[in-house]
Amino acid sequence: MNTFPGRAGRGVVGHAAYRVRVIQAYFVVHVRDQMAYLGEVALGGIILTVFLFVLTQLWQVTFRFQGADTLGGYTLAQVIWYLVLTEAFVTSRVAFARKIDSDVRTGDLAYALVRPGGYVSAHFGAYLAERMVRFAFALMVGGVFALLSVGPVSVGPVPVLVGLLASLVAILLDFVMVLGIGLGAFWIEDTSSIYLIYTRVSMILGGLLIPIDLFPDTVGAIARALPFAAMIHGPARLVLSPGLGEVPRLFAMLGGSLALAGGVVWWEYGVARRRVTVQGG
Amino acid sequence: MATGVRNEIAVALVGLTRTFKRPDISLPLRGLGRLWSRRPMVEAVALHPTTFQVNAGESVAFIGPNGAGKSTTIKILTGILHPTAGMATVLGHVPWLEHGRLSREIATVFGQKSQLWYHLPARDSFTLLTRIHDLDADLARRRAGALCDRFGLEGLLDRPVRTLSLGERMRCEVAASLLHSPRILFLDEPTIGLDVIARQELRSIIRELNQRDGVTVFLTSHDAGDVERVCDRAIVIHTGRVAFDGTIETLRRDFVRRKTISLDLSSPFAGELPVMPGVVPTQLTPLRLQFQVDTTVVPAETVLAGLIGRMQIADLTITDPPMEDVIAAIYGQASSASEAVP
């Protein structure tokens, strides 16, 4: 007789609350796990500082060469703070597609799927923990660098908060996309090349190094039509902008992309689950 | 809680079958055709229709050589794999359809797959598992405390898992798997890689769980000691079929039809031994004789009758072959069967 039953018989709301508790539990454990890798996180901070230093030099030369105080509406200080925000988003990325890819190929996925709590919840909790720790650390390191190199810029509290909220939605969208890439291992031998293309395209068309407002018109129009700009350029631009005029468009783009990517990955996950086979026997 | 085998079905399989498709590598692809051609798929059988039943409270060893179908069976019973045909229930649940509910009532320990977080203390993994199983926090804390006392985990739970020895880690693994008080414990090679002492400790823990708490144990292992010391019943599977199902004693007695007869003599024997088919002397000293008897050729009683009266016997023992030999024989049969298949 099971003397220790779980709280069975939950409804839809109860089930959703249970999933949130599971994600929270994975989140807490993985934040602690990250603390075991503080050295690695600190090393990432050093690399980020070097990147920012080089980019700052390049932008200083560009501004000097152009002889202008602003480029595309950005001052030099704003560009550097923009870079801090976009670099924080990109460098905090967690390459968990590799883990899913490995789970699929080694058959570990099958073991993970039957664990209570759910495979996606487990990955999401772990991803969120790792990403938040890295994101916060990158913002801190980048912020100190920007303060020391170009000084503060004037920003309003509301754009900052809304920008951070947009970043959170973008992080969720990134999770869904990377999950979709990792699950691709059911159909292709190795998904690392797809992940590489995804990250590189999103860096270029997302406005990692150059604000999209400075892109040539045609390229800028293409970039704006894709979700990458909403993930990387959008939140950074929002934090630095005086008003909230861009907010509806930005959230519509993020929400629409999330719904579309979520639908595709939901379908892909369903097909993948049915395809699960394990070697051995 | 005193327990024993109960008249309640814990695991039931009826004609459970698993096949899978794989490319036919016997057909070579040549030239440019290799770039786009696909080999035709052929069907391979991982598990032939298998039927058996395990009652609640039993401790069953599910043994067989590599490729026999035992991992496939365990994976189906824990909901990891879907069968191709047949039916199975575990505690009344169909595993591949109801693994969510089932996972609250069973536990799995895979010797080579850890459920603990490598860089964190095991206590953190216990906390996480408490949340995953949605257990009441106070009850779970008490349960963890009880498991900690029982498994001697005091002082281990707060050390990062990576710093534990394999034996200590496996004790933590088993304790973690028992947090939610499962009714069935599936163990797949739990003692693999452990030293002698750690093996003995883990076996006695599993035995005690079965004997004292009535947890049904379903164990696969290549280790004869695991089978002998943990289980009362053995199901032998090879080439995807159940080859034996009975008690461990019967397995040892009947699966390998060979007995060892040892005679200690009170005075030195200098006579001539009778020659009997199926009897091979393995030790011949003046005061001790030992024979291996193939009981399919000659009954042990006939051998004894031929020996008694020719010598003065001080002591006589007849022993079944050790479990290692039984398992080796099972595996040997499987390999000769597979060699026989063209």
Side-chain angles (χ1 to χ4, degrees):
Chain A
M1 176 85 192
N2 189 350
T3 54
F4 217 145
R7 296 170 193 133
R10 45 174 99 88
V12 175
V13 176
H15 188 74
Y18 164 68
R19 283 297 161 105
V20 171
R21 285 198 298 274
V22 169
I23 291 169
Q24 186 195 2
Y26 275 104
F27 179 83
V28 171
V29 164
H30 280 273
V31 166
R32 284 192 198 146
D33 202 17
Q34 281 299 296
M35 295 300 126
Y37 290 109
L38 269 185
E40 194 187 306
V41 177
L43 184 67
I46 295 169
I47 294 169
L48 176 64
T49 309
V50 173
F51 273 160
L52 287 172
F53 176 76
V54 171
L55 292 169
T56 303
Q57 300 302 309
L58 287 171
W59 277 104
Q60 278 174 346
V61 170
T62 307
F63 270 81
R64 209 177 303 135
F65 184 73
Q66 292 287 327
D69 290 335
T70 61
L71 285 176
Y74 293 86
T75 63
L76 175 64
Q78 281 178 320
V79 169
I80 302 308
W81 277 97
Y82 172 92
L83 290 175
V84 168
L85 295 169
T86 55
E87 286 285 352
F89 182 89
V90 170
T91 57
S92 64
R93 269 195 169 131
V94 182
F96 75 100
R98 242 181 273 158
K99 172 81 178 90
I100 296 176
D101 187 300
S102 155
D103 283 352
V104 172
R105 281 189 283 116
T106 59
D108 282 357
L109 178 71
Y111 293 93
L113 281 176
V114 293
R115 275 193 198 148
Y119 183 71
V120 176
S121 306
H123 267 296
F124 185 56
Y127 165 87
L128 214 52
E130 199 171 335
R131 184 108 202 219
M132 287 293 118
V133 169
R134 289 184 184 196
F135 188 60
F137 190 77
L139 278 182
M140 200 175 69
V141 170
V144 169
F145 174 86
L147 272 178
L148 293 176
S149 60
V150 293
V153 286
S154 111
V155 289
V158 176
V160 169
L161 286 176
V162 180
L164 285 176
L165 180 65
S167 289
L168 285 178
V169 180
I171 282 172
L172 178 60
L173 175 59
D174 193 44
F175 170 79
V176 173
M177 289 191 170
V178 177
L179 177 67
I181 292 169
L183 290 173
F186 276 95
W187 293 274
I188 58 174
E189 190 69 27
D190 184 0
T191 60
S192 57
S193 52
I194 310 278
Y195 180 71
L196 191 73
I197 292 169
Y198 165 72
T199 52
R200 296 306 175 265
V201 168
S202 68
M203 281 179 197
I204 295 164
L205 294 176
L208 170 68
L209 304 177
I210 305 170
I212 288 175
D213 313 277
L214 298 174
F215 280 21
D217 289 345
T218 316
V219 182
I222 294 169
R224 281 195 176 83
L226 294 170
F228 311 120
M231 292 163 77
I232 300 173
H233 168 85
R237 169 88 181 140
L238 186 60
V239 168
L240 295 168
S241 63
L244 299 171
E246 282 290 306
V247 170
R249 192 183 171 283
L250 176 63
F251 277 90
M253 189 64 177
L254 285 171
S257 304
L258 190 57
L260 185 66
V264 170
V265 173
W266 181 275
W267 167 82
E268 187 187 7
Y269 184 65
V271 177
R273 279 200 73 131
R274 286 193 290 277
R275 286 177 65 116
V276 168
T277 52
V278 181
Q279 293 303 313
Chain B
M1 181 166 49
T3 53
V5 177
R6 302 185 292 280
N7 195 19
E8 174 195 346
I9 297 170
V11 178
L13 284 72
V14 181
L16 197 73
T17 310
R18 169 74 190 188
T19 58
F20 60 93
K21 289 191 166 63
R22 58 174 169 76
D24 185 358
I25 52 170
S26 64
L27 295 174
L29 295 176
R30 291 201 177 87
L32 286 175
R34 278 180 298 181
L35 297 176
W36 62 81
S37 298
R38 282 189 160 198
R39 293 178 192 276
M41 303 297 272
V42 288
E43 197 171 74
V45 182
L47 186 67
H48 289 279
T50 300
T51 301
F52 64 79
Q53 184 179 307
V54 175
N55 283 337
E58 276 196 280
S59 180
V60 177
F62 191 59
I63 52 181
N66 292 330
K70 58 185 191 306
S71 293
T72 304
T73 309
I74 276 213
K75 282 168 189 163
I76 293 173
L77 293 179
T78 51
I80 292 172
L81 269 184
H82 289 219
T84 316
M87 175 49 78
T89 59
V90 176
L91 299 169
H93 302 293
V94 178
W96 54 95
L97 298 178
E98 302 172 270
H99 59 75
R101 279 185 210 160
L102 184 63
S103 63
R104 295 176 188 286
E105 298 185 60
I106 64 167
T108 48
V109 175
F110 295 98
Q112 291 171 309
K113 289 189 192 300
S114 178
Q115 59 177 324
L116 305 173
W117 270 258
Y118 194 61
H119 294 286
L120 297 178
R123 193 181 296 284
D124 286 344
S125 294
F126 278 36
T127 308
L128 179 58
L129 290 166
T130 299
R131 303 296 290 271
I132 289 172
H133 285 292
D134 213 14
L135 306 175
D136 177 87
D138 284 338
L139 279 173
R141 207 169 296 121
R142 267 181 272 147
R143 172 82 175 163
L147 289 168
C148 183
D149 292 343
R150 195 155 161 196
F151 288 17
L153 304 182
E154 201 54 58
L156 300 183
L157 287 185
D158 293 312
R159 282 168 49 194
V161 171
R162 67 172 186 273
T163 66
L164 301 178
S165 71
L166 187 55
E168 291 170 339
R169 185 173 69 73
M170 281 311 292
R171 273 172 23 222
C172 290
E173 292 277 356
V174 176
S177 72
L178 295 171
L179 267 180
H180 61 297
S181 292
R183 294 163 63 191
I184 301 184
L185 184 57
F186 288 96
L187 300 134
D188 193 355
E189 302 283 357
T191 60
I192 196 162
L194 299 186
D195 64 35
V196 177
I197 302 293
R199 268 182 204 193
Q200 284 174 350
E201 281 176 357
L202 194 58
R203 283 170 189 155
S204 58
I205 283 170
I206 299 166
R207 187 70 180 159
E208 192 186 310
L209 282 169
N210 172 253
Q211 299 280 300
R212 209 178 88 177
D213 296 0
V215 175
T216 307
V217 171
F218 195 89
L219 167 109
T220 70
S221 179
H222 290 299
D223 189 308
D226 292 353
V227 174
E228 269 188 314
R229 303 217 166 77
V230 173
C231 302
D232 299 316
R233 177 181 162 196
I235 297 172
V236 177
I237 186 165
H238 72 73
T239 58
R241 292 184 174 84
V242 173
F244 173 88
D245 184 354
T247 63
I248 297 290
E249 281 309 307
T250 319
L251 172 69
R252 200 171 17 207
R253 197 178 62 230
D254 295 350
F255 201 88
V256 177
R257 299 284 210 167
R258 199 180 67 223
K259 289 190 187 296
T260 303
I261 296 178
S262 305
L263 303 167
D264 288 317
L265 309 179
S266 49
S267 60
F269 176 68
E272 209 161 289
L273 287 169
V275 178
M276 284 184 269
V279 179
V280 178
T282 52
Q283 189 182 357
L284 295 175
T285 60
L287 288 173
R288 185 172 170 80
L289 307 175
Q290 198 173 63
F291 305 91
Q292 213 159 69
V293 180
D294 184 344
T295 56
T296 58
V297 178
V298 56
E301 301 84 51
T302 311
V303 179
L304 280 176
L307 293 171
I308 295 170
R310 290 173 182 259
M311 54 197 78
Q312 289 184 319
I313 298 170
D315 194 16
L316 180 156
T317 53
I318 303 175
T319 51
D320 292 318
M323 187 54 77
E324 280 87 356
D325 289 4
V326 175
I327 290 181
I330 293 166
Y331 292 9
Q333 279 188 13
S335 60
S336 47
S338 60
E339 277 164 20
V341 174

